[in-house]
Amino acid sequence: MTTMPPGSVFLVEDEAMIRMMVADMLEELGYRIAAETGELNEALRLAETTDFDIAILDVNVNGKVISPVADLIKARNRPFIFATGYGVQGVPAEHRDRPALQKPFQIEALAEMLSSTLKNIAA
């Protein structure tokens, strides 16, 4: 019996080391990286053109708020979660209904957040 892979992830994180660490965690959990970037304009382009199941968005990308990317993904009806070192207050007000992972996070927290977010979409 084969289990379905969890899906593909679009990852936006401006800290290269953190992005690599999160990508490693995702792959360990069985996810595929659909696209990744640490740059806001690139993230906007990828958010429009990449096929992915869920996105993980750093709230603050090189000093810029991620809202335009989140808006695009929301318009495409794709789920996303935020990663933030600022707590819920760091999440853009118009997207506070979305799940947020507090950085730094462990692989278990990432797995749970992805799983529950994707489950809610399927429900």
Side-chain angles (χ1 to χ4, degrees):
M1 185 175 106
T2 57
T3 57
M4 283 298 294
S8 58
V9 179
F10 171 40
L11 176 60
V12 181
E13 167 60 64
D14 61 353
E15 294 282 337
M17 292 303 289
I18 295 173
R19 191 167 66 245
M20 287 191 310
M21 186 184 73
V22 173
D24 286 347
M25 284 185 198
L26 289 165
E27 286 169 355
E28 194 176 318
L29 292 169
Y31 290 89
R32 189 176 56 76
I33 306 298
E36 58 178 283
T37 185
E39 207 278 309
L40 197 64
N41 288 333
E42 178 77 352
L44 283 164
R45 187 182 67 74
L46 290 168
E48 277 187 307
T49 59
T50 305
D51 191 33
F52 57 89
D53 296 311
I54 190 166
I56 299 174
L57 307 177
D58 184 6
V59 168
N60 186 322
V61 179
N62 296 315
K64 297 185 184 107
V65 179
I66 195 76
S67 294
V69 178
D71 293 342
L72 256 177
I73 294 170
K74 185 177 183 178
R76 285 186 67 191
N77 249 341
R78 298 286 164 91
F80 59 91
I81 60 179
F82 289 107
T84 177
Y86 306 102
V88 178
Q89 299 78 12
V91 175
E94 66 275 21
H95 295 294
R96 293 235 168 105
D97 59 330
R98 300 291 171 148
L101 267 172
Q102 180 65 40
K103 291 198 280 191
F105 49 82
Q106 302 297 314
I107 191 167
E108 298 80 9
L110 178 63
E112 174 56 36
M113 180 79 67
L114 288 167
S115 170
S116 66
T117 303
L118 287 168
K119 251 190 227 112
N120 289 342
I121 302 308

